[in-house]
Amino acid sequence: MQPKSVNMCDLERYKIDLKGLTDEVTNFEWELDKSFFDALDQTEVESGALHVSLSIRKASGFFELLFHTVGSIDITCDRCLDLMEQPIETDNRLVVKLGSNDSEDDDTVTVDENEGILDTAWFIYEFIALAIPIQHVHATGKCNPAMTKALEELSADRSGDEESNQTVDPRWSKLAELKLKN
């Protein structure tokens, strides 16, 4: 048996025994940090500081899970490639039922009724990943200055090369003339 690393996150605490829940609403709360993201071994999110609240309502034949996640993650800036802090706030709903085997369909997850254990860690990660904007860049003026300068130089070089080496199709030159008149 290998000793556990002090920094290693115990993902077992994100597993919920659905069969052991009462008919009342059950609440869970977790604080996520770098160890959570390291344990999942994913590349998109490096680390973060997030609070997750989970409310589970047991109904006849299914469980309704309501997740609320708020905090920030550290993610690579698309422009300068430095880490940046990205605020995250998301509310998600998941319906879980017990069945003959594990499966996922749209917004319904089926958990093997013989086990009755739902691992919420991956769902939490997916909800966070889905809340990340498509483009994530530092606020104006916050990018790495050296990288910004290099990008500007490369951009200027490319645009100068393209203009001098390209011949303009006569059809496009007529459109350009119309654009200049306006």
Side-chain angles (χ1 to χ4, degrees):
M1 181 179 212
Q2 295 180 349
K4 285 188 177 182
S5 170
V6 175
N7 295 334
M8 193 62 181
C9 177
D10 183 16
L11 294 178
E12 288 296 315
R13 65 189 183 135
Y14 301 100
K15 292 183 179 180
I16 298 171
D17 181 6
L18 296 174
K19 295 190 313 186
L21 297 178
T22 64
D23 288 336
E24 299 174 12
V25 174
T26 306
N27 295 303
F28 293 90
E29 293 195 14
W30 298 288
E31 298 296 327
L32 307 183
D33 58 14
K34 183 172 178 28
S35 63
F36 174 80
F37 298 103
D38 288 345
L40 288 175
D41 196 28
Q42 297 300 308
T43 57
E44 186 168 6
V45 179
E46 304 258 339
S47 63
L50 298 141
H51 177 81
V52 179
S53 301
L54 170 60
S55 174
I56 303 175
R57 183 178 62 87
K58 185 177 179 180
S60 69
F62 68 94
F63 300 86
E64 179 183 43
L65 285 73
L66 301 174
F67 294 85
H68 177 73
T69 306
V70 64
S72 64
I73 58 170
D74 296 324
I75 192 162
T76 305
C77 174
D78 289 338
R79 188 177 301 135
C80 72
L81 304 179
D82 281 356
L83 282 182
M84 61 172 276
E85 188 175 290
Q86 176 67 54
I88 297 288
E89 184 164 4
T90 182
D91 291 301
N92 304 93
R93 179 179 179 265
L94 186 66
V95 175
V96 179
K97 62 181 182 177
L98 299 175
S100 58
N101 56 11
D102 292 341
S103 67
E104 290 184 40
D105 303 321
D106 296 329
D107 290 337
T108 304
V109 174
T110 303
V111 173
D112 187 340
E113 62 190 338
N114 295 324
E115 291 182 24
I117 304 292
L118 175 68
D119 186 355
T120 61
W122 184 249
F123 292 108
I124 292 169
Y125 177 81
E126 284 185 339
F127 295 148
I128 293 167
L130 289 171
I132 299 171
I134 291 173
Q135 184 179 17
H136 28 88
V137 294
H138 284 104
T140 305
K142 300 290 184 184
C143 275
N144 178 327
M147 182 62 86
T148 302
K149 182 179 178 187
L151 287 172
E152 288 171 355
E153 289 171 0
L154 287 172
S155 179
D157 289 347
R158 286 181 86 195
S159 64
D161 290 346
E162 288 175 9
E163 289 174 9
S164 63
N165 293 337
Q166 284 186 344
T167 57
V168 177
D169 185 326
R171 295 172 290 183
W172 295 116
S173 63
K174 293 289 183 189
L175 288 173
E177 289 174 18
L178 286 175
K179 183 178 174 184
L180 292 174
K181 287 181 182 178
N182 291 332

